[in-house]
Amino acid sequence: MFMLLLLFSGCSQKEPQIVKEPEFICVKQELYPYGNEIKLRVHPDDLSLFEKRKEYYKKRAKHYEEQVLRNNERCKENK
């Protein structure tokens, strides 16, 4: 038990750790223009599923656009 105590106490750092402040790396992003809607033939029973998927992908695209705009604004502020 004593040997284990010496082994682990020998590995501990006596000096305080130096923590560097994180730096902000700025990369300008561009929005990708997604195209027009595509018309598909869908079975009437599957129409609601396709509408939900369409809304899901629109929300994802909007989230992406907002994220890109926020990042570009942050880049302008930090220059």
Side-chain angles (χ1 to χ4, degrees):
M1 188 69 147
F2 181 70
M3 294 298 279
L4 287 173
L5 180 63
L6 287 176
L7 178 67
F8 287 114
S9 66
C11 295
S12 65
Q13 293 181 351
K14 306 292 185 209
E15 300 175 11
Q17 290 184 339
I18 298 173
V19 179
K20 292 184 178 181
E21 194 169 312
E23 61 183 82
F24 182 72
I25 299 173
C26 186
V27 177
K28 185 177 180 189
Q29 297 178 329
E30 295 181 15
L31 292 175
Y32 181 78
Y34 48 92
N36 298 333
E37 291 185 13
I38 300 171
K39 294 183 179 181
L40 296 174
R41 285 180 124 179
V42 180
H43 194 275
D45 295 340
D46 297 333
L47 185 60
S48 64
L49 173 67
F50 277 86
E51 289 294 327
K52 288 179 183 177
R53 283 186 181 174
K54 177 181 161 184
E55 289 303 314
Y56 172 78
Y57 289 125
K58 279 187 175 183
K59 285 180 185 178
R60 295 292 100 209
K62 185 173 180 169
H63 173 74
Y64 166 76
E65 289 174 355
E66 290 171 355
Q67 193 173 15
V68 168
L69 294 174
R70 270 195 314 261
N71 183 52
N72 288 341
E73 283 295 319
R74 191 170 172 197
C75 283
K76 287 178 186 177
E77 291 172 2
N78 288 330
K79 281 189 177 182

